[in-house]
Amino acid sequence: MKLRRITIICFVAAVATAAGWAADDWLDRVDEALNVSVLQDSLRARLSGSVALEGYHFQPPAPGLINAPGNDLFNPRLVVFLDAQYQSNLYAFAQARVDRGFDPGAGGARLRLDEYALRFTPADNARFNLQIGKFATAVGNWVPRHGSWENPFVTAPLPYENLTGVWDIEPVPSDLVLLQWSHVRPGLPARVTAVEKQRRVPVIWGPAYASGAALSGAFNRIRYALEVKNASLSSRPEAWDAVLVGLRHPTFSGRLGYAPDERWNLGLSASTGPYLRPLAAPTIAAGRRFDAYRETVIGQDISYAWHHLQVWTEFYEARFTIPRVGNVDTFAWYTEAKYKFTPQFFGAVRWNQQLFAAVSDGAGGRAPWGAELWRIDLAPGYRFTPHTQIKLQYSLQHEENGPHRFAHTLATQFVLRF
Amino acid sequence: MNPSAQHPRSQGRAPATIRSMIFLILLLTPGMLKAQAVIEGHVPLPKTRTAPVVNKRYEIVTQGGVLSTNPPLAVVYLEGVFPAPATPPVAQLIQKDLTFVPSLLPVQVGTKVEFPNLDDTYHNIFSYSLPKRFDLGRYRANETPVPSQVFDVPGLITLRCDIHEHMRALILVLATPYFVMTDTDGHFRLAGLPAGRYVLKAWVDSKTTLERPVELTVDGVLRVDFP
């Protein structure tokens, strides 16, 4: 099965390569045709997007946010963006996807509207921008490259995808149970593994497309962003929709950035908000407020870019307040580098690590409340044309106290953008 | 070639027949004379394209975002065999307000094109076009030396920016020193041409190049309107 799917991906890539040079000009014409303008050019809109074919081979249970039985997963994805600009003051965008779930899974094809937002920029000096809608978080520095074309890897960095022992549908009843929930055990039936993975949350769930409003801007080399959203950074995609979840328990997040020049970008981020889903409310002790149980995140990020080299690093300290347990802390970080060896061939390497604070083990001792791990990701990539590229990724993960001492993941992704 | 250099005044007056023969030889040798012919005319242009929308989805700080519309232009050039320039020409294609200026640049083979960045943000110009593949990497304003490339193979090069997906420009590398861009109405005037028989071409877009055989005479003005 694995070989067949990877063969399909390679075949498509090869065909695209052969047809690429002829199709390139045609895709540019399609791009021009997907730009429209009305009201004497005051209102302009553009449709764009990508088609991605992803293949994964892993040791069960599936790594990160992937939720699929067995060892392999094939995940095709169509992404369509709409960008619209009215004069210089109003900008709107939307992102729709058809795939097997926001996080790669074994389900059928689904259509979702993942993002939609309206941004108001009152003056051309960019000091104030107000944005409302459902959109990616301003925290950290990974979001601008989370798309399949921009991301040099197939998967996300560890803080954005490693599921912890914290559940959002039910608070863990004790330290001891938290230790048992610290990881998804191998060898469970596929159905049980799927349920286990569906209950857990990471520090940040991917780009965190929650709903709300954001104020952002720049004063010389200082940049800021403040956002109020309906769900915490760790919240799952089902919680991001304002219509379903509402804004009764807001999460406040922000980032303060400083860019001394174009090469360097430094940022401090913070976020706090309730991480339990509304359906967990009945399990909270009487008299306790739902939004007293929060996820609080402090983050630091730094990036550097010069000619063909790009480097990004992020550190996240996260605290979950759990009923009957108290505060549990985790620290996750990664550093990632990408280098273009030739105009078309590039490579990336990423070191990820996550550590957990100790809690009582019920026997008079203390133990980390999660499976401490490190992971190294290696990813060569090749751009056949300005519209097509393929990436390969190998990940080696080592868990100190988890199910696998070492786990291997192979992934490949072919992307055509238009 | 300067005819007067062949006949220094210190040698006195040459017989009239010799002078006439020299004049006739030079007149019949295309490219050897000082170029003087002119072609004027018109090229039908495609309709104006809509300016792209800047993708600002994940840029928390955004400024403006309204790009100017680049009207379609054509490049009219005289095809033939011409000597290479003694010194490589230098041209510039700048990045300003997240746009390539100009969006279409014709150059002669061997031209060095510089790409100064006049924005206060990074740009990353690259081309995967077969005549010239390169990637300049990320560079900022005032970078020295100014990033550049020598275009030594004729053909069409599509320039893009790896950071700003809406940015696109074309460089048309021509094996002739005789070319000109039309105005926005399609009118052109190509002056300083050598007398002789040539093919006049009008590059309209990557799929359309019009052509017409022409015969140029010294001091002649030829009118060519492409269909």
Side-chain angles (χ1 to χ4, degrees):
Chain A
M1 185 68 82
K2 175 191 74 173
L3 281 176
R4 194 183 74 184
R5 286 172 177 162
I6 290 178
T7 302
I8 290 172
I9 289 176
C10 292
F11 176 76
V12 170
V15 170
T17 306
W21 298 112
D24 210 31
D25 189 54
W26 181 80
L27 284 168
D28 282 345
R29 289 166 185 270
V30 169
D31 183 41
E32 287 173 9
L34 292 176
N35 281 275
V36 295
S37 168
V38 294
L39 303 176
Q40 296 178 323
D41 262 4
S42 293
L43 177 61
R44 298 168 178 176
R46 175 180 182 236
L47 278 177
S48 60
S50 64
V51 177
L53 305 175
E54 294 170 2
Y56 299 90
H57 177 65
F58 46 78
Q59 296 168 262
L65 297 173
I66 299 172
N67 199 343
N71 296 89
D72 306 298
L73 177 68
F74 176 63
N75 183 45
R77 179 185 302 125
L78 169 67
V79 180
V80 176
F81 291 106
L82 169 68
D83 296 275
Q85 180 83 46
Y86 179 71
Q87 297 184 343
S88 60
N89 305 115
L90 281 179
Y91 170 70
F93 67 95
Q95 179 191 179
R97 293 194 199 183
V98 181
D99 54 22
R100 303 179 74 180
F102 181 83
D103 304 303
R110 279 165 273 180
L111 169 66
R112 294 183 317 280
L113 186 58
D114 277 342
E115 287 185 285
Y116 48 86
L118 178 67
R119 183 180 306 171
F120 175 57
T121 306
D124 282 345
N125 57 22
R127 290 184 173 175
F128 300 99
N129 299 274
L130 177 64
Q131 180 165 300
I132 58 170
K134 181 172 181 284
F135 52 89
T137 182
V139 166
N141 68 16
W142 181 67
V143 161
R145 66 182 189 285
H146 78 280
S148 56
W149 185 263
E150 294 81 11
N151 186 359
F153 297 90
V154 180
T155 63
L158 199 68
Y160 294 86
E161 66 159 31
N162 185 49
L163 294 171
T164 67
V166 174
W167 292 16
D168 61 351
I169 60 165
E170 177 185 348
V172 64
S174 67
D175 289 7
L176 197 56
V177 177
L178 179 63
L179 292 177
Q180 293 169 350
W181 288 3
S182 62
H183 56 259
V184 179
R185 286 171 290 149
L188 296 172
R191 182 176 49 81
V192 177
T193 300
V195 171
E196 282 264 321
K197 294 201 73 169
Q198 284 168 6
R199 291 170 174 166
R200 299 160 186 279
V201 296
V203 173
I204 305 174
W205 198 299
Y209 294 145
S211 302
L215 183 67
S216 63
F219 289 87
N220 296 322
R221 301 223 166 253
I222 304 288
R223 296 184 169 200
Y224 72 91
L226 301 167
E227 60 185 30
V228 183
K229 288 191 164 181
N230 69 330
S232 68
L233 292 180
S234 66
S235 61
R236 63 189 63 244
E238 293 89 328
W240 295 343
D241 196 325
V243 176
L244 297 177
V245 177
L247 283 159
R248 285 177 300 149
H249 306 289
T251 289
F252 300 92
S253 307
R255 179 180 183 274
L256 186 64
Y258 174 62
D261 58 39
E262 288 84 351
R263 292 172 298 178
W264 293 96
N265 204 325
L266 302 90
L268 282 173
S269 299
S271 177
T272 181
Y275 66 93
L276 292 170
R277 297 170 71 183
L279 53 82
T283 65
I284 297 173
R288 304 303 299 269
R289 291 179 54 201
F290 174 83
D291 57 5
Y293 304 108
R294 312 178 75 82
E295 180 200 22
T296 301
V297 177
I298 304 293
Q300 304 86 41
D301 65 78
I302 181 169
S303 65
Y304 175 82
W306 181 243
H307 292 184
H308 297 104
L309 174 67
Q310 289 175 270
V311 181
W312 303 269
T313 300
E314 288 188 276
F315 303 93
Y316 285 109
E317 301 85 33
R319 167 170 290 178
F320 293 92
T321 305
I322 303 175
R324 295 183 291 278
V325 172
N327 295 330
V328 294
D329 297 339
T330 182
F331 170 68
W333 76 284
Y334 73 91
T335 186
E336 172 180 326
K338 174 188 174 186
Y339 190 80
K340 286 184 192 171
F341 297 102
T342 72
Q344 290 165 279
F345 175 58
F346 61 89
V349 59
R350 182 169 62 202
W351 171 265
N352 313 260
Q353 195 166 14
Q354 187 160 10
L355 305 171
F356 295 86
V359 296
S360 170
D361 63 3
R366 296 180 69 78
W369 64 271
E372 297 194 332
L373 57 91
W374 58 255
R375 190 181 81 199
I376 186 164
D377 304 314
L378 301 169
Y382 191 81
R383 286 193 176 170
F384 300 110
T385 73
H387 300 280
T388 54
Q389 71 177 11
I390 194 165
K391 294 179 282 186
L392 303 173
Q393 181 177 330
Y394 168 72
S395 295
L396 173 66
Q397 180 166 306
H398 177 263
E399 297 187 5
E400 293 293 337
N401 50 349
H404 294 294
R405 295 293 292 175
F406 289 98
H408 310 269
T409 301
L410 286 170
T412 183
Q413 185 184 59
F414 172 75
V415 186
L416 182 152
R417 73 166 178 174
F418 56 90
Chain B
M1 182 180 294
N2 184 354
S4 66
Q6 306 281 330
H7 309 283
R9 291 182 182 179
S10 60
Q11 291 183 354
R13 292 181 60 189
T17 51
I18 294 175
R19 279 183 295 162
S20 300
M21 285 178 64
I22 291 172
F23 180 76
L24 189 62
I25 289 169
L26 293 178
L27 179 67
L28 297 176
T29 307
M32 298 295 286
L33 266 181
K34 189 176 179 182
Q36 291 175 346
V38 173
I39 306 177
E40 294 177 339
H42 178 262
V43 181
L45 300 176
K47 66 177 183 179
T48 300
R49 294 184 291 270
T50 302
V53 178
V54 180
N55 163 13
K56 301 188 287 192
R57 288 168 230 137
Y58 309 117
E59 288 289 329
I60 62 165
V61 176
T62 58
Q63 200 163 3
V66 177
L67 303 174
S68 60
T69 301
N70 289 312
L73 302 173
V75 177
V76 180
Y77 60 97
L78 201 62
E79 192 176 67
V81 179
F82 303 103
T87 55
V90 177
Q92 281 203 336
L93 198 152
I94 66 171
Q95 301 124 80
K96 174 75 175 161
D97 297 331
L98 305 186
T99 305
F100 285 117
V101 181
S103 59
L104 171 62
L105 177 68
V107 297
Q108 186 182 4
V109 167
T111 299
K112 175 184 173 184
V113 179
E114 297 177 336
F115 302 98
N117 175 4
L118 303 188
D119 283 325
D120 58 359
T121 186
Y122 265 145
H123 285 297
N124 185 160
I125 296 179
F126 72 96
S127 159
Y128 292 166
S129 299
L130 290 175
K132 190 73 178 181
R133 287 184 197 182
F134 65 93
D135 186 319
L136 296 177
R138 287 161 191 256
Y139 63 96
R140 51 185 174 167
N142 304 321
E143 179 129 346
T144 52
V146 177
S148 63
Q149 289 287 303
V150 175
F151 293 85
D152 43 17
V153 176
L156 182 66
I157 285 96
T158 303
L159 290 181
R160 302 168 199 270
C161 177
D162 197 27
I163 303 169
H164 306 100
E165 64 182 81
H166 67 277
M167 290 178 65
R168 203 178 305 158
L170 300 171
I171 295 180
L172 185 62
V173 184
L174 301 166
T176 173
Y178 304 109
F179 55 82
V180 69
M181 293 188 55
T182 65
D183 63 18
T184 54
D185 294 323
H187 298 292
F188 70 91
R189 176 182 167 86
L190 189 54
L193 304 176
R197 292 182 176 177
Y198 303 97
V199 175
L200 184 71
K201 293 193 170 185
W203 182 96
V204 179
D205 59 33
S206 59
K207 295 290 184 194
T208 312
T209 301
L210 309 172
E211 62 181 60
R212 180 80 67 83
V214 293
E215 184 169 355
L216 304 179
T217 57
V218 174
D219 290 335
V221 177
L222 186 66
R223 175 81 194 178
V224 177
D225 290 327
F226 287 95

